[in-house]
Amino acid sequence: MPRRGNNLLKEDRKVERILCLWNILMRGRGVTREEIAAKLKVNERTVSRYFADIRGCLAALEESDGIHRRLIHSREEGVYKMINEGGEYLTSGELFAVCKILLSSKAFHKVEMKALLERLLQNLASSEERTEIDEYIKNELFEYAEPNHKNPDMDLLWKITRAIHQHHVIAFDYKKISAETSSPHAARPLGILFSEFYFYVAARPDRGIKTGATSPLKIYRLDRMTSVIDTEKTFEEPYIDRFREGEFKNRVQFMYSGKKIHLEFIYKGLSLEAVLDRLPTAKARKRDDGSWSISADVLGEGILMWLLSQGANVNVLAPESIRQEWLDTARKICEMGKTEQ
């Protein structure tokens, strides 16, 4: 009996060591036999047997989920690493990039941002990677300037997301930016968007008709929505009028929705790439003087805010309504500068 107990103990230890090795490899990290032998306090021949056990496990997993994974030895790097065609693991660089994007989004208050980053690294990074990435982002997190808006309610975000998928009308109270109190709304949610520090819900006001196609598209800021209820009342949205988040984001600026506008302007700045990134629908043609003739299809007049931010680098040509508003605003700025000195 004691011998059997010792065998069971040895087997438990083996399982623990293999799981430890698996946890390291599954995060995409390369390791040497010497490193693992020292970490697990076994000899290198035992590590080789552990590698063989893991290869057998990978073959069994492929039969169940269809993802081809391999444990290989890279002669160039001198390490063993797990390769999978599913691309399911984040590299250290990718994980660091995600952390930087989260910090730049300013979507959460500092306490929530710190907790989110900690959970992200805890679940997706090894202890060594976690320590290294934490070292790289700690200064930015320490200097993190909290947004002035309320923390987004992630449970509410998910609730509305499910209502979108199920085509359910939602009822809620909404406080506009200039209003002192909230007012009741009923809407047919179509999409979730994130832009300029805020989450938004794209929806059509519910008017009790069969489809929502005739209702104008409205954009609601998530943090101004309260008492949200999924009414479970279904609605239809014609396929031809379906809301496409990607297309909407390509055309709208600062979440100011509105009618389609064909914009034309001359750009004299140094970074054409920045213009094309801001306006994904834009087409550019170089002029003889080195400037660029830009045309783009946009939604709403939020584009005016961006045009004004470019100062003398742009000259708006069309449409005439946007050109006049751009000129009038520029004149007002000049007059204000003269009178308030």
Side-chain angles (χ1 to χ4, degrees):
M1 289 297 292
R3 182 176 298 176
R4 182 182 177 188
N6 289 336
N7 289 338
L8 288 174
L9 184 59
K10 287 178 61 177
E11 190 65 26
D12 287 344
R13 287 175 178 170
K14 176 185 175 182
V15 171
E16 288 176 3
R17 290 165 180 160
I18 292 177
L19 286 174
C20 179
L21 178 55
W22 174 275
N23 189 50
I24 294 171
L25 292 168
M26 72 173 288
R27 300 181 191 279
R29 183 185 160 200
V31 295
T32 64
R33 281 193 302 177
E34 295 84 351
E35 177 188 354
I36 295 302
K39 185 177 183 66
L40 301 182
K41 297 180 180 179
V42 296
N43 59 50
E44 293 182 24
R45 291 179 61 186
T46 299
V47 174
S48 296
R49 289 197 293 270
Y50 290 168
F51 283 148
D53 289 336
I54 288 176
R55 287 191 177 98
C57 182
L58 292 177
L61 277 175
E62 183 175 355
E63 291 184 6
S64 64
D65 61 19
I67 298 176
H68 183 54
R69 305 174 181 88
R70 292 179 296 145
L71 177 60
I72 66 166
H73 179 259
S74 172
R75 292 185 178 180
E76 293 182 0
E77 301 176 58
V79 297
Y80 290 85
K81 59 170 56 176
M82 194 182 295
I83 305 296
N84 74 90
E85 294 179 352
E88 60 193 272
Y89 310 129
L90 290 177
T91 66
S92 297
E94 290 169 338
L95 191 54
F96 174 69
V98 170
C99 292
K100 294 289 286 186
I101 290 170
L102 274 173
L103 284 165
S104 298
S105 74
K106 290 185 67 175
F108 306 95
H109 286 191
K110 189 171 184 176
V111 172
E112 285 72 19
M113 179 64 77
K114 183 178 180 181
L116 182 59
L117 291 171
E118 286 177 351
R119 293 199 301 273
L120 188 66
L121 294 176
Q122 183 71 35
N123 287 298
L124 297 178
S126 65
S127 58
E128 293 85 356
E129 290 172 322
R130 188 160 58 248
T131 300
E132 189 173 13
I133 294 175
D134 184 64
E135 180 68 24
Y136 295 154
I137 66 174
K138 69 178 183 181
N139 286 337
E140 186 172 357
L141 185 58
F142 178 77
E143 301 289 347
Y144 182 73
E146 292 190 341
N148 290 311
H149 62 75
K150 296 190 302 181
N151 268 316
D153 187 333
M154 294 296 97
D155 291 335
L156 175 58
L157 184 71
W158 187 241
K159 181 179 183 178
I160 296 174
T161 299
R162 296 188 69 181
I164 292 169
H165 180 71
Q166 296 167 353
H167 284 202
H168 284 180
V169 173
I170 57 173
F172 56 95
D173 291 333
Y174 190 74
K175 184 179 179 181
K176 295 181 179 180
I177 191 168
S178 57
E180 295 184 1
T181 59
S182 300
S183 58
H185 289 254
R188 303 174 176 192
L190 303 175
I192 298 289
L193 304 158
F194 180 83
S195 178
E196 314 295 338
F197 317 131
Y198 303 103
F199 285 96
Y200 296 87
V201 179
R204 298 190 194 277
D206 181 50
R207 295 178 175 175
I209 54 179
K210 186 176 181 180
T211 67
T214 57
S215 299
L217 185 69
K218 299 288 186 180
I219 304 298
Y220 300 95
R221 230 173 74 181
L222 183 72
D223 60 305
R224 293 188 182 141
M225 300 171 68
T226 57
S227 305
V228 179
I229 298 173
D230 182 342
T231 67
E232 299 186 2
K233 171 188 171 184
T234 60
F235 64 90
E236 296 178 16
E237 185 75 7
Y239 183 78
I240 193 172
D241 296 313
R242 72 192 186 282
F243 179 76
R244 293 182 288 182
E245 286 96 335
E247 182 184 35
F248 184 81
K249 285 293 295 290
N250 286 342
R251 296 175 183 272
V252 75
Q253 299 296 320
F254 305 108
M255 289 296 113
Y256 280 82
S257 62
K259 295 180 179 180
K260 183 177 178 180
I261 296 171
H262 182 72
L263 180 69
E264 295 181 13
F265 63 94
I266 295 172
Y267 177 70
K268 300 179 181 180
L270 299 176
S271 180
L272 176 65
E273 292 84 358
V275 177
L276 298 179
D277 286 339
R278 169 59 72 172
L279 304 172
T281 65
K283 295 180 181 179
R285 179 177 57 84
K286 196 165 187 178
R287 291 158 50 94
D288 293 339
D289 62 359
S291 63
W292 294 88
S293 177
I294 308 290
S295 64
D297 291 327
V298 299
L299 295 175
E301 297 187 1
I303 187 62
L304 186 64
M305 296 172 62
W306 179 80
L307 291 169
L308 289 166
S309 74
Q310 298 302 299
N313 285 330
V314 300
N315 180 11
V316 180
L317 304 178
E320 185 62 25
S321 60
I322 295 293
R323 174 175 171 79
Q324 286 304 316
E325 193 168 354
W326 171 69
L327 289 171
D328 290 344
T329 304
R331 292 190 189 101
K332 290 177 182 177
I333 293 173
C334 291
E335 290 300 321
M336 190 163 48
K338 292 177 182 178
T339 58
E340 295 187 2
Q341 285 183 343

